[in-house]
Amino acid sequence: MESNMDNAQTQCTRCGTCCEKGGPALHAEDLDLVMQKKIPAQDLYTIRRGETVHDNVSGELINTPQEIIKLKPAEHSAACIYYDAGQKACRIYDIRPLECRLMACWDTGPLEAAYEADRLDRDSVFGNLEWLMDLIRTHEEKCGYEMIAALAEKRQFKDAGAGEDILEAVRYDAEMRRVVREKAGMGEGMLELIFGRPLEKTIPVQFGIKLVRNS
């Protein structure tokens, strides 16, 4: 992300580039949009602590030190779920989140200043549902990325049990999602907000480990 204050641009030209790169992270200021369901929970997902992400400020891949809640990408696209490519416009422009309001490609200073401040997390969204937070905390204990990173390192050094422990975390992750979906009546679209992205999708990308499903 670079500041372009020296050029002549002073307003958005609706090129769509920022929206095509993905949805924004949400901040405390955006909480009411979620709680009032102006932005439905099923349109959000959680990036969990320790997960590898592209940092828009540094331009590098990092293991995020904090939890991040973001708008989902559109299906089969990296673009924000609310981006209308045909109109090159935002479908929720009047209630767009903080990062979208601050985004100005000709002067990214205000967005950079707010980028890591007061980010929304699952405790902010689900804190009044203690039973669900208990499940989230248990899931983190069994499926946390720091634990998986340690197992992946052991696996590289031929630790015989590390690979099976990783597979057990993947199985636990899948089972937890199934139980919450079936027993608690949570829709499929909610699960990536509650538990983050499935380990069976993220582990091969983040750790370069091929997961083989037993028949």
Side-chain angles (χ1 to χ4, degrees), residues 8 29 39 43 56 61 85 93 133 197 212:
E29 191 170 323
I39 294 180
D43 289 345
N56 289 333
L61 290 175
Y93 185 82
M133 286 306 303
R197 294 179 287 191
V212 179

Side-chain angles (χ1 to χ4, degrees), residues 10 15-17 62 73 87 95 115 146 149 157 183 185 192 205-206:
T10 59
C15 68
T17 300
I62 65 167
Q87 298 295 320
I95 58 166
Y115 187 63
E146 291 179 350
F157 288 98
K183 303 297 185 182
E192 289 194 356
V205 175
Q206 182 160 341

Side-chain angles (χ1 to χ4, degrees), residues 170-199:
V170 173
R171 288 190 287 263
Y172 186 92
D173 175 58
E175 179 64 10
M176 181 74 87
R177 293 168 193 273
R178 183 193 68 78
V179 168
V180 171
R181 183 176 61 248
E182 295 179 4
K183 303 297 185 182
M186 294 287 185
E188 188 71 33
M190 285 284 293
L191 297 180
E192 289 194 356
L193 175 59
I194 296 171
F195 297 123
R197 294 179 287 191
L199 289 182

Side-chain angles (χ1 to χ4, degrees), residues 31-194:
L31 181 59
D32 283 348
L33 296 176
V34 179
M35 303 309 288
Q36 296 173 15
K37 300 182 180 180
K38 293 178 179 179
I39 294 180
Q42 60 264 28
D43 289 345
L44 303 170
Y45 74 101
T46 297
I47 295 175
R48 298 191 291 129
R49 188 163 58 90
E51 190 169 349
T52 299
V53 296
H54 179 268
D55 185 82
N56 289 333
V57 171
S58 69
E60 300 176 346
L61 290 175
I62 65 167
N63 293 335
T64 179
Q66 59 179 300
E67 201 165 281
I68 303 171
I69 292 179
K70 295 191 67 172
L71 289 182
K72 288 180 178 176
E75 190 173 5
H76 307 304
S77 171
C80 175
I81 192 171
Y82 291 126
Y83 178 57
D84 184 330
Q87 298 295 320
K88 289 190 177 294
C90 174
R91 293 190 288 108
I92 59 165
Y93 185 82
D94 290 340
I95 58 166
R96 65 197 186 281
L98 175 66
E99 287 192 4
C100 302
R101 299 198 304 273
L102 293 176
M103 180 60 196
C105 59
W106 61 94
D107 179 11
T108 58
L111 177 56
E112 291 182 27
Y115 187 63
E116 294 187 354
D118 298 321
R119 279 180 169 165
L120 211 58
D121 60 18
R122 288 175 291 180
D123 188 59
S124 302
V125 176
F126 300 121
N128 62 332
L129 299 173
E130 189 58 32
W131 67 270
L132 185 54
M133 286 306 303
D134 284 344
L135 290 179
I136 289 171
R137 285 189 284 266
T138 300
H139 180 264
E140 282 298 317
E141 290 174 6
K142 302 286 189 179
C143 304
Y145 281 103
E146 291 179 350
M147 179 198 73
I148 294 171
L151 290 172
E153 185 175 1
K154 290 180 180 179
R155 181 176 174 272
Q156 288 183 326
F157 288 98
K158 310 300 181 184
D159 185 309
E164 181 55 38
D165 287 342
I166 292 172
L167 288 175
E168 180 57 31
V170 173
R171 288 190 287 263
Y172 186 92
D173 175 58
E175 179 64 10
M176 181 74 87
R177 293 168 193 273
R178 183 193 68 78
V179 168
V180 171
R181 183 176 61 248
E182 295 179 4
K183 303 297 185 182
M186 294 287 185
E188 188 71 33
M190 285 284 293
L191 297 180
E192 289 194 356
L193 175 59
I194 296 171

